[in-house]
DNA sequence: GCTAGTGATGTGTGATCACAGTTAGGGCCG
DNA sequence: CGGCCCTAACTGTGATCACACATCACTAGC
């Protein structure tokens, strides 16, 4: 047992399956809005693009279908769901309720370190939004960072996972829009809401944090609905 | 086109894949507590039991793993997760917050028909709980019925789906206990809480409905924690 | 007597093949 | 020239095979 101590220092080899890697890749595509509602997805084509067999893609897609982030049409074609305006409104309302609750708990429970992480994320987003010609893709990523820095501070892991899934469903709509029209940032509404969230969490003011997060979500939802890109009638 | 009207009356043939059927079968096993935490699941064995190939089972299991209702150990063994006491507490707290919120919305928005459905479910559960020798399996099913009758009335489909997933995670613990010890019903706490929920929803009293649902969840959680079947230290 | 190595068995994962079904396009007939 | 049909390519689903790995019982060695 001479090497007992040396062995203890070995890092665990992380074992990732191809399915997981594929799932992450597709999730990222969806969450960042690079896959738009209505886009079709071929198992074989994506498998070829990733350099794997169809098997891992099947498992990843079936998980995303279970999450509601993808759907298989009765034609058996896999595509990004086209949400009705009513469906989008219900999703936004659910997000306001749940993410607001998470923000409220975060305000009450956050540690110093978590607060610092939120501060950093907020500063990074503000810096980008106020720059000359904001990059849509980066804005999407930084917006996600700040939101999840807040949700990580709520202390309830299951709640954080639930929110991650909600973002997967809303991502293609929200972020496609933000990607395509980063000019929306110039209205400054997002920056203002984020500042309100940060201030409320600093002050340990739960209701204010919930209201600010809900307002942030509502602002974006109203903006997208007002643009009228979503159909009103379910097919 | 003489038969246009006749054709219009034909019900859609529902196309279910074997994967979905398998998923439902396994979900039912989990939700009803017939699969206990720690139980291992072999793909080949369950495939043989269901009379299908391993493929559908793989997809169903991978979805359940994504939901957190199953887990694959680093040994590559599929099993029902063994939750720590802390994890169970976090899950219960999340449920109290989310399901309470759903109940509150249900109180505000319920239609007459939905209210009637809740009444029927509550009556059925009460009848069983007050019977001589209550059947554990039936109690599990009826308890589920009443809760989801409430959540169906909240008007937010995404919220209902989230709760269904939470139940999948909590099912093995909660319902294994209720199945094994239906005598718990004799304490009457569940019946009382359900009555409170119903009364609050009848009176369109949102906060009271949320409190009653949260209390119902908390009662069961405290009871199970007090029994001490869950380990305190994560392995 | 106890530990370390070795084999058989079963595990999940991934690739490949087979199939029913759909879709799109080109050629034939009116 | 326009409409229909038929074919060929492609879709997801399911089965089967191949493989690396984990587990457990067993035996040989110290």
């Amino acid at each position: 047992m001479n090497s007992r101590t040396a062995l203890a220092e070995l890092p665990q080899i992380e074992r990732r399956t191809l399915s997981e890697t594929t799932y992450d890749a597709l999730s990222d595509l969806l969450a960042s809005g690079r896959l738009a509602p209505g886009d079709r997805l071929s198992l074989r084509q994506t498998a070829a693009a990733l350099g794997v067999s169809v098997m891992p893609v099947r498992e990843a897609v079936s998980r995303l279908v279970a999450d509601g982030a993808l759907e298989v049409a009765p034609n058996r074609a896999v595509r990004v769901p086209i949400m009705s305006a009513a469906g989008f409104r219900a999703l936004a309302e659910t997000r306001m309720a749940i993410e607001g609750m998470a923000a409220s708990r975060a305000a009450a429970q956050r540690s110093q370190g978590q607060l610092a992480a939120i501060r950093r994320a907020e500063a990074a987003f503000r810096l980008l939004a106020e720059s000359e010609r904001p990059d849509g893709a980066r804005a999407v990523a930084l917006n996600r960072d700040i939101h999840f820095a807040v949700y990580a501070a709520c202390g309830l892991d299951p709640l954080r996972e639930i929110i991650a899934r909600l973002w997967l469903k809303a991502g293609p709509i929200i972020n496609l829009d933000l990607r395509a029209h980063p000019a929306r940032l110039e209205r400054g509404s997002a920056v203002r809401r984020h500042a309100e969230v940060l201030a409320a969490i600093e002050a340990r003011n739960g209701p204010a944090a919930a209201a600010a997060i809900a307002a942030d979500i509502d602002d974006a939802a109203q903006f997208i609905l007002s643009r009228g890109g979503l159909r009103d009638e379910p097919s």
Side-chain angles (χ1 to χ4, degrees), chain A:
Chain A
M1 302 299 156
N2 47 7
S3 57
R4 170 72 58 97
T5 56
L7 260 54
E9 289 173 6
L10 278 179
Q12 283 268 66
I13 294 181
E14 68 171 314
R15 305 160 51 126
R16 290 180 59 78
T17 64
L18 289 182
S19 299
E20 290 177 61
T21 311
T22 306
Y23 178 82
D24 289 346
L26 290 181
S27 298
D28 191 48
L29 249 53
L30 283 165
S32 66
R34 286 196 298 263
L35 277 176
D39 280 1
R40 284 222 299 266
L41 210 60
S42 158
L43 295 189
R44 287 173 175 81
Q45 283 176 20
T46 60
L50 272 69
V52 298
S53 150
V54 294
M55 275 295 325
V57 180
R58 279 173 69 171
E59 293 211 12
V61 165
S62 80
R63 279 174 58 180
L64 289 165
V65 168
D67 290 345
L70 290 177
E71 69 176 7
V72 298
N75 325 334
R76 292 185 158 172
V78 177
R79 62 175 189 183
V80 183
I82 299 179
M83 217 178 301
S84 68
F88 180 70
R89 215 171 283 122
L91 181 59
E93 226 173 303
T94 304
R95 286 186 55 211
M96 289 166 62
I98 289 187
E99 296 180 36
M101 189 168 65
S104 172
R105 298 186 77 101
Q109 317 217 347
R110 92 285 193 294
S111 67
Q112 275 309 321
Q114 289 165 334
L115 178 58
I118 297 172
R119 276 208 191 94
R120 278 195 303 275
E122 194 269 345
F125 183 85
R126 181 155 33 85
L127 196 67
L128 178 78
E130 290 172 349
S131 71
E132 192 77 16
R133 206 167 35 80
D135 174 9
R138 255 186 78 72
V140 168
L142 290 180
N143 182 56
R144 184 188 167 87
D145 284 349
I146 173 171
H147 275 263
F148 277 86
V150 172
Y151 306 144
C154 80
L156 254 41
D157 271 8
L159 191 53
R160 204 173 34 72
E161 290 168 21
I162 286 169
I163 296 175
R165 260 201 276 264
L166 284 172
W167 276 58
L168 229 48
K169 291 178 76 166
I173 297 181
I174 297 277
N175 295 332
L176 173 65
D177 186 85
L178 188 51
R179 253 177 98 80
H181 309 282
R184 183 175 108 210
L185 289 173
E186 291 171 8
R187 300 170 65 241
S189 142
V191 170
R192 194 172 342 116
R193 297 306 186 191
H194 291 173
E196 291 171 14
V197 171
L198 176 57
I201 291 180
E202 278 175 337
R204 294 199 182 275
N205 185 341
I213 282 281
D216 184 39
I217 295 171
D218 199 37
D219 285 349
Q222 294 304 331
F223 186 84
I224 289 171
L225 283 169
S226 72
R227 178 163 295 160
L230 286 68
R231 61 181 164 71
D232 279 312
E233 298 292 300
S235 66

